[in-house]
Amino acid sequence: MEPLLRNIVIAVLSLSFLTFTVFFGRLPIFRKTPIGFLHRVVWVHFPAFLRWLDGKVTGGRIYKYTTCTFNYLFHEKHPLVVIFFLGLLSVAAGLFLHASWRMLPWYHRLIALELLPLPYLFTYLASRTRPNTVVTTSNYAEQVAAYPYDRIIFHPNNNCRTCRLPKPARSKHCSICKVCVARSDHHCVWVNNCLGRENYRWFLALLASTSVLLLYGAYLALILILYPEVNSRFTHYDHAFPAGLMSKWAPWLLRLKGFREDLNTVMVESIAFGGISITGVGLLAALTWPLPLGLLSYHIYLVWAGMTTNESSKWADWRDQMREGNVYVGTQHGSGYVDNPRSLFPGRDGRHNGHTRARATSNSYAEFGLRSGEFGRRLSAISVGSSPVQEKSNSGSPNLDTTIITSDIKKEVAGAQWPNQPHQVLVKTADGEAPREVPAQLEGIVDEASWQRCWKLDDVENVYDLGFWENLREILEG
């Protein structure tokens, strides 16, 4: 039976890897890896070929309609994906429990009933927009005071051109939800909501509970129920793939043939005994459980690194610029900063928080950068934000008094209690030479004699990294 079990494991892992690559190969951490390449083949090169073929055959009509459907499903706010996810979970769970309830020991029945409601609960909690998740006129001062501006990936005096509010550090405007999200991670179509300061914890709980439920369902269906039955039937066959051929000395073509025939035998017997309700649901769970588990692992890494998905892209942009030798790091006045940032910024748990763990990558450009202009190496700010606008909003209601907003924010920032405070700034120059002048946004902030070329993220502080357990506690507290 060992060859049979190994065949099943190989088949399940192969299909799971392919499914994971298709859905999550776009994550920044997989850039310039085989997983990222396979993902681009599936989502970029193969669709490009189909688009070319469609242009030759139908003049591009099929591509036009499919593009509209794809954009609606993934770039508009609607509950269809949530309905699909929960509907698929409900149908699969109903079929499996109805067919296998009498075969399960009482303790497995109890565990199943305890695990099954959790994805529904956490989907509901993650899909809710709680007060501190969205930056509003009533809580903007509190949101700004929550995190300091590090002047590397987040800068003060930026205003959201849509919401007409100052942008707190770590926030981002969501074009789908049409709001500014505090401590923005990303917009998730599976919960039809943006994940931010208060509901990100429920998203992590959703990934964890779904991973456990799928893995447990695969175990019940394939190991507890199907394995004994299929094993007893499988041993009566005259195998084209005897156990001796499993040795490394057997010709690989013969081993491949035996693997295929034995796998066919297993599938036939499994479907004959369990049908769709047990075999189908078990295989579905076995093939899909790596998806939420892989995504959960990635987000655990982000927690460990003190980043969000949005911030990992921003750090990756700086890393790409550093590889070109165009980035310089400077010290803020009065920071007492020394050459080794990792010796200066201990978190609450005493661990140093130099940015040694930001390894994500992205294709986007930095939100804020500095470049040389017409006059030698004179610097100019990019995407720093303009002064507040006193026009009426689209809704017809007058804008807030931004003078009062700015005053309140300065007062709140002065009393911010975040354990780590920024001590560095980053700039990039077009000619790769050290900056000679400082833009107005950094005048009086950076020590102009402190510029040093920066080649790697290890030499840059991440003030939002307090250490894994403190990072996790801050997320759980919302």
Side-chain angles (χ1 to χ4, degrees):
M1 190 59 187
E2 290 182 1
L4 168 64
L5 182 60
R6 184 162 70 175
N7 293 347
I8 295 176
V9 171
I10 292 174
V12 170
L13 290 180
S14 300
L15 291 175
S16 298
F17 172 77
L18 178 61
T19 307
F20 178 85
T21 300
V22 168
F23 283 96
F24 299 112
R26 67 177 180 84
L27 292 176
I29 197 172
F30 295 125
R31 185 185 179 190
K32 297 181 180 179
T33 66
I35 293 178
F37 172 76
L38 290 176
H39 179 83
R40 288 192 299 274
V41 169
V42 173
W43 290 104
V44 179
H45 303 301
F46 185 66
F49 169 75
L50 294 180
R51 184 166 62 250
W52 173 82
L53 185 62
D54 179 48
K56 295 291 185 180
V57 177
T58 68
R61 287 189 294 271
I62 296 178
Y63 174 76
K64 176 183 177 181
Y65 296 137
T66 55
T67 300
C68 292
T69 302
F70 180 85
N71 289 335
Y72 174 75
L73 289 176
F74 293 98
H75 297 100
E76 296 290 340
K77 191 174 178 66
H78 59 81
L80 295 182
V81 179
V82 180
I83 294 173
F84 169 77
F85 165 58
L86 296 181
L88 180 62
L89 179 63
S90 300
V91 171
L95 289 174
F96 176 74
L97 291 178
H98 176 74
S100 64
W101 186 256
R102 295 183 179 179
M103 306 178 192
L104 299 176
W106 66 269
Y107 50 87
H108 280 301
R109 298 180 189 177
L110 181 62
I111 295 174
L113 293 178
E114 290 178 348
L115 291 178
L116 187 58
L118 295 182
Y120 298 90
L121 173 63
F122 294 136
T123 299
Y124 168 74
L125 293 174
S127 64
R128 292 182 60 193
T129 301
R130 293 172 171 265
N132 279 340
T133 301
V134 176
V135 181
T136 63
T137 56
S138 60
N139 69 3
Y140 70 85
E142 178 186 353
Q143 299 287 10
V144 171
Y147 304 102
Y149 295 98
D150 64 353
R151 298 184 183 273
I152 297 177
I153 58 176
F154 297 106
H155 301 267
N157 303 323
N158 278 341
N159 296 277
C160 177
R161 289 175 292 182
T162 303
C163 299
R164 306 295 180 91
L165 287 173
K167 296 178 68 174
R170 313 190 81 179
S171 68
K172 185 179 185 296
H173 183 85
C174 177
S175 59
I176 299 177
C177 294
K178 307 296 190 296
V179 294
C180 282
V181 182
R183 199 188 176 279
S184 173
D185 191 89
H186 71 286
H187 181 89
C188 180
V189 297
W190 297 100
V191 299
N192 192 33
N193 200 8
C194 281
L195 302 176
R197 187 176 176 186
E198 281 198 348
N199 63 347
Y200 179 64
R201 51 185 170 175
W202 304 122
F203 173 71
L204 296 180
L206 172 63
L207 293 178
S209 61
T210 305
S211 301
V212 172
L213 180 63
L214 292 177
L215 184 59
Y216 184 65
Y219 164 76
L220 292 181
L222 302 181
I223 305 301
L224 188 67
I225 297 177
L226 287 179
Y227 184 87
E229 293 291 333
V230 175
N231 184 33
S232 63
R233 302 185 184 196
F234 188 83
T235 54
H236 292 83
Y237 281 84
D238 293 328
H239 306 301
F241 188 24
L245 292 180
M246 293 299 294
S247 69
K248 62 181 180 180
W249 304 110
W252 68 271
L253 285 177
L254 185 59
R255 284 187 285 164
L256 182 62
K257 177 183 178 182
F259 170 81
R260 184 179 67 252
E261 294 185 4
D262 277 0
L263 186 61
N264 291 338
T265 301
V266 170
M267 292 301 300
V268 169
E269 292 297 335
S270 298
I271 294 175
F273 176 77
I276 297 178
S277 299
I278 296 179
T279 304
V281 172
L283 289 175
L284 178 64
L287 293 175
T288 56
W289 74 267
L291 304 182
L293 182 63
L295 190 57
L296 176 63
S297 301
Y298 175 68
H299 280 275
I300 290 176
Y301 157 75
L302 292 179
V303 174
W304 176 72
M307 298 186 296
T308 63
T309 302
N310 177 48
E311 292 166 16
S312 70
S313 297
K314 295 177 182 291
W315 282 116
D317 299 331
W318 279 115
R319 186 184 66 182
D320 293 341
Q321 293 293 330
M322 291 175 185
R323 289 172 176 171
E324 299 176 2
N326 296 335
V327 176
Y328 286 81
V329 59
T331 305
Q332 297 187 26
H333 282 299
S335 66
Y337 196 73
V338 295
D339 289 340
N340 183 6
R342 282 169 287 181
S343 65
L344 265 181
F345 305 104
R348 293 178 186 174
D349 59 356
R351 190 184 53 76
H352 302 296
N353 68 335
H355 207 296
T356 60
R357 301 178 299 182
R359 302 301 185 206
T361 57
S362 172
N363 293 320
S364 61
Y365 290 98
E367 177 184 349
F368 178 82
L370 300 174
R371 57 181 173 83
S372 297
E374 297 177 356
F375 305 99
R377 292 186 291 271
R378 184 177 181 84
L379 299 175
S380 61
I382 297 176
S383 300
V384 177
S386 58
S387 59
V389 182
Q390 297 292 338
E391 299 175 356
K392 290 187 177 182
S393 61
N394 296 333
S395 62
S397 59
N399 279 324
L400 298 172
D401 185 343
T402 51
T403 303
I404 297 176
I405 291 177
T406 304
S407 175
D408 290 345
I409 288 176
K410 288 181 178 179
K411 179 179 65 176
E412 292 293 341
V413 169
Q417 297 300 314
W418 188 253
N420 297 335
Q421 294 302 316
H423 297 266
Q424 293 177 304
V425 296
L426 285 184
V427 299
K428 63 179 179 180
T429 60
D431 52 16
E433 299 293 334
R436 291 180 177 176
E437 297 183 16
V438 178
Q441 292 80 5
L442 296 178
E443 287 184 357
I445 296 175
V446 61
D447 180 1
E448 298 185 39
S450 65
W451 294 118
Q452 294 183 1
R453 194 187 301 270
C454 185
W455 291 100
K456 55 181 186 265
L457 287 176
D458 292 6
D459 298 329
V460 183
E461 61 173 329
N462 178 13
V463 298
Y464 307 120
D465 181 12
L466 304 179
F468 176 77
W469 295 111
E470 287 298 320
N471 293 340
L472 182 61
R473 185 173 72 87
E474 193 261 335
I475 289 172
L476 297 179
E477 289 178 352

